[in-house]
Amino acid sequence: MNRIVLHTFHMVALMAFFAGGLKATTTQIFAATDPSNQPVHAEASSGAGPENLSGLALLYAEAMAAGRVEEWAALDLGCLARQQEQGGLPNKPLSASTAQTCWDDTMAAHRKLVADEAEPAIFGALGRGTGFGLIHESHQHADFWKDYPPALSVSPTVVRPNYAISGPLMQVEKVLDPRSVGLVIGQGQAILGVQEVRVDISVTYPDLLTAPLALLPGEPWWASPVIRRYGPVYKLIARFTVVSGLRALGFPVDQAVVNEALTGSPLVAGPSVPGILPASPLWWNRDTNPQQFEAIFQEARQETLLQEKVKKFKRLLLLDPEEPRVNAVFGTDLYVEFLREGLAIGKITSNDGAIKPKLAELYWNIQAQTWRQEFTEVSVGHSFAADMFYRAMPALEIALKGGQSNSEMRRRLGALYRWNNDTASALTLHEGLLKDVSAGDHLGRARLLSEITWDRVQWLSWNRRYDHPWMLQAREEAEQALSLAMSPIDKLIAGEALVILDALAVPPDQSRLAKHVEVIRTQHDQLSGVVGMWSHLIGNDLVKALIPEGLHVTLPTSARSPEVMHNEVHLRIQDLNFLTTWGFDQGPVGGLPSGFSAGSTREGSIGGWRIEADLKAPSLPHVITQASPCAGDACFQVLLGARRTHELPDIVVYLHQVSSSDQGEAGIVLAAKDPRNFYAVTMNPTTKQLSIYRIQNGEPTLLGTGEIKIKPGPWHVLRVQTVNSAHVDHPRLEIYVDGYETRVMASEPIQGGGRIGLVTKGDMVAQFDRLRVIEMVTSRPMSKPAAY
């Protein structure tokens, strides 16, 4: 039936309804008129009773779903009331302009009802797309419950028919007995008596791709760390209200359907009732239509438009999130798009399409350790790359678990783990793959050795463990990869890892760094038509302060959430002396190191700090000694370093207990304002106890204490890191003694930056050597205040 004939038929049917003379059922009329003889909806009997009104309700719902504006408006009580307000004559048909305006306003009301809303403290509250929120009876008492009007279930704002399949299918399920009710025409007007019939119409959404979404039954609607799951609705029952007796009130027709969404529309007096029956919704599942599921999967595989591809894959995964085939294809496509986006963000181009993926992976290797904007949850929704990244990883995990992975997919998943700071998982995959590569496969071994090197570099860099055995191991693996690699791009990837390892070395070897910079320059120059990569190789946060050429590099600005501070902090060189080491070997014996000042929490005391010669010192020939015991648990003798503020320092010192009771302690000062206001991490090698203090106006508060493991010998290494790797404004301490990580934690965040230094407590006499501090800009909080 063409559109003109169909429209004419419906108008004839409406006129018959208004005249009370429609004797055939709507199905019979469609069957007689439509050559296909296919009924469009279930039978709706005619007559003067409720059955007649049920057919009217069905026509109303169908007209709205199909967007037949004038036909719908002629049945809508709100639209009829508007014409009456405008002085329309009782028998005058509804004007086209009134019908269109009424339709537009109703659609606007519907869009507002189904719009995604930001819900405080709800993880995953946004992004469900077009659809409902809460419609199931398990959520009926939730704070965010809405009594949706019945017409919303067939509204074009929610249901966008895929004409290749079908729009929503409607059928009258039940007609409630008529009753007398009051009708409120307008605010302040008298309540008028009319007859009401409520008609339950089932709405089935046969197309998985266009079915509206709603929160699945039993899903948490409250603040929860679990992402809430939405699913496509398959079927529900909407309860429409039809009122009659309108002619007596001056309307041009006697029956019409109540429009609960339209502002100013007449409403039935009394409490509101759900337009979608809460016990009725059913959701799509894998078995609803297996053939359609498979057809959409094959379409998604061939889809060239990324937006459509993602839409189809996401719909399939709503039905079966653990489907291995879908996740394998989806995760692979997302990974490829993530790489493409990396090249776009980094402004990197190449004439050789074959090396573009490797250039992109190298770019993300560097980004993961430095400006991590794309790898933080606050970027989701603001950064296309972050969206791809956080979708690709779980998709490939499911594919691997379901037996749908290959070696390349496992390599890629390992790279995603690395970029997500999950080094252990990355190494498990990459080392497993290396075992399967034959000794004669030099190219395969070179690539996996580079992957393993970058896995270790990521951990070393991010955790600032520059004294860890992995420093040597990663260097050996990178050198082996460099020797096995054949192509310039593979040699460049291994060479850049060596450059970063050189930058992380303590003490730095400038000549070795310069040698490796020339290695990567040679390999880079052999890449034909590559533009934009060199700046990232020498201008990233880790190396630019050590490479003169890097000082003049300004990297592109990446997308960011509005809550995240601007990344120009990563484009500025903070200070060439970002690593400082004191061996105390240059100062005069008996004096203080240059730039240091002594003090105490006890008024009038400065302790007994002095440089001494010690032939057994870790760094010959001098140490710094604090030789004046200080009675009392609240007495701290302090030696503060140069007046430089360290926000997130990594501090290492060697210490030797010369003499002490069980109450004496020695250690590190951080975040110091002056000798009476600072934080301290101290230890007693004899009792093997470690403590964390906050000293405020000379008064100590114990923030944490615990037992530690130490190695035998007179000298011990204490390391204190202020860590903010989650990018929140709650820095915490990670503490190591002789390479062993302790479990001692402070009961509160370490607030604010300040000077660093050394400290003894009580009657401790101690020696210190090889004090070192470094601050990495990559650990600074991205959000002020924290974005999550």
Side-chain angles (χ1 to χ4, degrees), residues 46 154 212 312 330 332 437 444 552 593 643 655 665 670 674 699:
S46 64
V154 295
K312 290 176 181 178
F330 188 38
T332 299
V437 177
H552 308 291
R643 295 185 177 277
L655 67 85
E665 301 170 28
L670 66 157
D674 54 53
E699 295 297 325

Side-chain angles (χ1 to χ4, degrees), residues 477-539:
E477 289 161 341
E479 289 172 346
Q480 188 178 356
L482 186 63
S483 67
L484 291 174
M486 301 295 292
S487 66
I489 182 61
D490 289 335
K491 287 183 175 292
L492 179 66
I493 293 170
E496 177 66 9
L498 287 169
V499 168
I500 290 180
L501 286 167
D502 291 338
L504 299 178
V506 178
D509 186 333
Q510 199 66 35
S511 63
R512 186 171 60 186
L513 173 63
K515 169 189 169 184
H516 287 139
V517 169
E518 291 309 309
V519 169
I520 64 171
R521 188 192 306 277
T522 299
Q523 302 307 321
H524 176 271
D525 290 348
Q526 293 182 45
L527 299 176
S528 176
V530 173
V531 176
M533 190 73 231
W534 183 249
S535 296
H536 295 283
L537 298 177
I538 64 166

